[in-house]
Amino acid sequence: MFKYNCLNPIAKVGLERFTDNYKATDNISEADGVLVRSASMHEMELPESLLAIARAGAGVNNIPLDKCAEKGIVVFNTPGANANGVKELTIAGLLLASRDVIGGVNWVSSAKDDENIAKTAEKEKKKFAGTEIQDKKLGIIGLGAIGVKVANVAKNLGMEVWGYDPYVSVDAAWNLSRDVKHVLNVDDIYANCDYITIHVPLLDSTKGFISEEAIGKMKDGVIILNFARDLLVDEAAVLKAIKAGKVRKYVSDFPNATTAGQDGCIVIPHLGASTEESEDNCAKMAVKELIEYLENGNVINSVNYPTVDMGPCTDNARVAVLSKNIPGTINKFSAVFADLNINISDFTNKSKGEYAYTLMDVEAKITDELIAKLKEVDGVIRVRVVKN
Ligand SMILES: NC(=O)c1ccc[n+]([C@@H]2O[C@H](COP(=O)([O-])OP(=O)(O)OC[C@H]3O[C@@H](n4cnc5c(N)ncnc54)[C@H](O)[C@@H]3O)[C@@H](O)[C@H]2O)c1
């Protein structure tokens, strides 16, 4: 029986995945796993019993990742679970920037007392005329979970799609429409595209990606969309470019003092993933990751330990070792098994930065002596019997 603690409300459709082998607890000190959305865990006491934390969402800045890794607590997130929600809002952003729907709707509200509103509208509507997206070029920077979905839909809406991502994953590449033009130099997107949308993570290396210099290379009248993070774009430079007529519209999902209420900016209050479906998908994925780790020892989508997936254990026993990433450790583990005359039938060892994770399936029963000897190996943080 495993116990889990929810630090925030988690969608029911996710929690329903727990079988009778799981029990909810309000007391984190007895929990094997924690599910969390936005609650800050930085000041929290983390109990020895805690094996894993699953964040229903992508960002993990509310979780002390290093402290968790040091204590052998695996932290998971749910990449891509909200990608469809963000994709749909990005497409809405493309349309809102092209057709002055917002201006038009506001005009209708302001003219609500006009008895002849239908007639007046016919005269006024030219103020809100726009352009169509079909046959226009859309440049996508970052072809991950969201970028690929945006690319495929935009293609189906009749746009010519150009994509830039020097680190594109094999999975993403498989899912990307073959009609998307893959460029190797982002300047090609700047020079050619009518719309540019950015879908990269905010890292030191991507901060200010869309700089004043980049904007200078763009086509006149370009529309820039930012549903990733505001700091990816030099927004002061965008405002200058809007005033100069270089940028037609800037659509952002991140309100701040720079862009809120500014002419040419359409600023949305961070609604990208605010859908019932996104929250459900995140909860389902977080619970699945927790179950996979607690029951099988497999680590999928962790942010502080490497991915290790050996499927379910088909042998007699499985042992997991969380350790520091120190050269020679694997030899020491196998020496422990050899000394006790226990055969390892399957084995995976992976590292991520300072930490490593080793999963071993064995033919014999795992004994207290074996566990004690594994714990003595230099750098070992936690030894866990997954199956015995
Ligand atoms: N608006 C919202 O509510 C919302 C919701 C979810 C995610 N996001 C943001 O969207 C971002 C993307 O999300 P995702 O799920 O697609 O992430 P992802 O990890 O699946 O994809 C990110 C892609 O960016 C690429 N990339 C990284 N550095 C790059 C660079 N220098 N140049 C070009 N490409 C680069 C990566 O190779 C990867 O393919 C997230 O990091 C997050 O900041 C926003």
Side-chain angles (χ1 to χ4, degrees):
M1 167 76 68
F2 294 109
K3 289 190 178 156
Y4 67 90
N5 173 245
C6 296
L7 291 177
N8 295 104
I10 300 293
K12 195 166 158 256
V13 63
L15 298 180
E16 280 170 357
R17 294 191 158 206
F18 284 126
T19 60
D20 292 346
N21 200 25
Y22 291 82
K23 194 167 176 273
T25 173
D26 291 334
N27 183 1
I28 191 174
S29 65
E30 59 173 18
D32 302 288
V34 158
L35 286 160
V36 62
R37 282 169 61 190
S38 56
S40 175
M41 299 189 70
H42 286 283
E43 307 306 325
M44 244 174 226
E45 187 92 9
L46 299 173
E48 287 307 311
S49 63
L50 189 58
L51 299 174
I53 297 167
R55 153 95 167 100
V60 282
N61 51 4
N62 55 324
I63 305 171
L65 301 183
D66 286 337
K67 185 170 144 194
C68 288
E70 285 284 337
K71 290 177 77 89
I73 299 167
V74 182
V75 180
F76 299 93
N77 70 346
T78 57
N82 50 22
N84 194 62
V86 182
K87 170 202 85 181
E88 290 189 4
L89 204 66
T90 306
I91 298 298
L94 275 174
L95 296 168
L96 289 175
S98 308
R99 314 284 293 272
D100 193 4
V101 177
I102 297 173
V105 168
N106 288 342
W107 176 82
V108 171
S109 294
S110 70
K112 68 179 191 313
D113 298 328
D114 179 350
E115 283 176 11
N116 292 316
I117 187 164
K119 217 167 154 197
T120 321
E122 290 308 317
K123 269 197 273 168
E124 294 288 318
K125 71 179 188 184
K126 57 180 172 298
K127 290 184 190 161
F128 311 112
T131 53
E132 298 182 13
I133 60 172
Q134 180 164 297
D135 296 329
K136 302 294 186 319
K137 290 194 183 79
L138 170 67
I140 303 183
I141 300 170
L143 294 168
I146 298 170
V148 164
K149 283 183 187 290
V150 171
N152 294 346
V153 173
K155 184 71 220 158
N156 288 335
L157 288 170
M159 299 189 85
E160 185 179 327
V161 182
W162 295 37
Y164 169 76
D165 189 335
Y167 321 105
V168 67
S169 72
V170 175
D171 253 8
W174 272 109
N175 289 323
L176 191 64
S177 159
R178 280 199 295 160
D179 295 325
V180 173
K181 186 177 162 73
H182 194 196
V183 302
L184 300 176
N185 185 340
V186 71
D187 285 355
D188 291 340
I189 282 187
Y190 298 153
N192 290 287
C193 292
D194 307 295
Y195 296 78
I196 296 174
T197 184
I198 184 158
H199 298 285
V200 305
L202 178 63
L203 309 167
D204 285 344
S205 58
T206 57
K207 201 170 170 189
F209 194 111
I210 299 202
S211 61
E212 186 157 19
E213 192 193 344
I215 295 167
K217 294 176 184 169
M218 293 179 191
K219 282 172 82 170
D220 289 346
V222 66
I223 288 172
I224 303 173
L225 299 111
N226 178 5
F227 285 82
R229 284 292 175 264
D230 53 357
L231 294 178
L232 292 165
V233 176
D234 180 346
E235 293 184 326
V238 169
L239 292 189
K240 255 171 59 186
I242 289 172
K243 283 204 181 80
K246 171 89 185 166
V247 170
R248 178 172 148 197
K249 282 268 161 44
Y250 175 60
V251 187
S252 161
D253 199 19
F254 308 97
N256 61 35
T258 309
T259 53
Q262 295 293 328
D263 283 347
C265 295
I266 297 174
V267 186
I268 300 166
H270 199 184
L271 296 180
S274 293
T275 65
E276 265 176 44
E277 292 84 350
S278 285
E279 284 177 16
D280 286 357
N281 287 342
C282 288
K284 281 193 274 189
M285 198 183 215
V287 170
K288 192 171 170 214
E289 290 162 353
L290 208 53
I291 291 175
E292 193 56 45
Y293 182 65
L294 294 176
E295 292 185 13
N296 297 320
N298 292 318
V299 176
I300 299 163
N301 293 329
S302 169
V303 285
N304 63 349
Y305 273 92
T307 298
V308 171
D309 183 1
M310 298 214 317
C313 176
T314 50
D315 220 317
N316 288 324
R318 174 172 285 182
V319 62
V321 184
L322 297 92
S323 65
K324 287 274 194 184
N325 182 17
I326 300 172
T329 305
I330 301 172
N331 288 346
K332 291 179 185 161
F333 291 158
S334 46
V336 168
F337 281 87
D339 283 351
L340 296 172
N341 204 23
I342 298 175
N343 191 34
I344 300 173
S345 58
D346 202 357
F347 173 99
T348 305
N349 167 277
K350 294 262 178 66
S351 63
K352 183 173 183 137
E354 275 183 64
Y355 298 94
Y357 187 70
T358 311
L359 214 47
M360 291 165 279
D361 286 355
V362 292
E363 290 170 357
K365 279 254 168 216
I366 293 165
T367 59
D368 290 346
E369 189 184 10
L370 175 78
I371 295 166
K373 292 209 159 163
L374 286 172
K375 280 184 179 166
E376 280 168 16
V377 174
D378 200 24
V380 167
I381 297 169
R382 190 196 285 272
V383 179
R384 217 189 123 209
V385 177
V386 179
K387 179 182 172 190
N388 206 5

